[in-house]
Amino acid sequence: MAHLPIVKIGVLTIKTIAKPISKIIKKQARNHERIRNHIVMPIGQVSHWASTRLQRITLNSSRRDVKPLDMEAAIESGSEFMGELFIWSVAMGLLISEYMYSAKKSAAKEQKLQDRLTSLTETNILLADRVLQLEDTMLQLQAQINKSAPTTNDTTNDTKPKSS
């Protein structure tokens, strides 16, 4: 019987739920004045500055100055960045937890195999000891048989059938 991949279903569910939550975060980031002015807008400006600088560097542009975004564009860029950062964080968290779960499962399997190997080794040692005991017993019995064995003259008389 096949088992349901509950962990994978859980991961998929969390990823699916993360997207609407990301949209809520974006909306809240745009609507709350303190968050918008002190967090979202600076994030949008830094994001714009970094992406523009990288673009100019890769294109070997001689222009180094970056014109700041207007307030609305910075808020939009910052809120998009925050939403994407949330989705990325959820994905990384899930990836790490899945790795840890897999490592734990693998360690448990390895321990089970190690325990089985130890058990088989102990059983092998016990069986080897038992074989030695049986060999000693066999040698003792052979020695007793040899001591009590009749001589060849006695056996020839006993083996002949008696005639009446």
Side-chain angles (χ1 to χ4, degrees):
M1 186 169 126
H3 296 285
L4 286 174
I6 294 176
V7 173
K8 294 204 183 269
I9 291 171
V11 167
L12 183 61
T13 302
I14 291 171
K15 282 182 180 179
T16 304
I17 292 171
K19 289 179 183 177
I21 292 173
S22 171
K23 288 181 182 178
I24 292 170
I25 290 172
K26 290 176 193 178
K27 184 178 177 185
Q28 293 297 322
R30 287 185 199 111
N31 293 338
H32 288 338
E33 186 179 344
R34 280 190 178 184
I35 294 172
R36 182 179 64 221
N37 293 337
H38 297 295
I39 297 172
V40 178
M41 199 166 51
I43 288 174
Q45 293 292 0
V46 169
S47 172
H48 169 69
W49 180 85
S51 66
T52 304
R53 287 285 287 162
L54 285 172
Q55 186 179 26
R56 288 182 181 166
I57 289 170
T58 56
L59 296 174
N60 290 328
S61 174
S62 60
R63 226 173 120 194
R64 299 288 180 203
D65 62 321
V66 177
K67 199 174 185 183
L69 292 173
D70 64 272
M71 187 174 160
E72 285 303 314
I75 291 170
E76 183 64 29
S77 176
S79 63
E80 284 295 320
F81 183 85
M82 287 181 68
E84 293 301 317
L85 179 64
F86 175 76
I87 291 174
W88 182 83
S89 299
V90 168
M92 285 298 108
L94 291 172
L95 183 67
I96 290 168
S97 65
E98 202 171 329
Y99 173 78
M100 291 172 65
Y101 174 78
S102 176
K104 183 180 175 184
K105 195 174 177 182
S106 178
K109 187 176 180 181
E110 181 69 28
Q111 184 60 44
K112 187 177 177 182
L113 286 172
Q114 188 62 39
D115 291 346
R116 179 74 175 136
L117 179 63
T118 301
S119 172
L120 289 173
T121 302
E122 290 171 357
T123 301
N124 191 27
I125 290 169
L126 291 173
L127 289 173
D129 287 344
R130 183 68 178 139
V131 166
L132 290 175
Q133 289 173 353
L134 290 173
E135 286 176 348
D136 287 345
T137 304
M138 187 177 74
L139 289 173
Q140 289 172 0
L141 288 173
Q142 283 179 345
Q144 286 177 358
I145 289 172
N146 289 340
K147 281 183 185 176
S148 66
T151 60
T152 48
N153 291 341
D154 293 341
T155 57
T156 52
N157 292 338
D158 289 344
T159 57
K160 289 183 181 179
K162 293 183 182 179
S163 23
S164 339

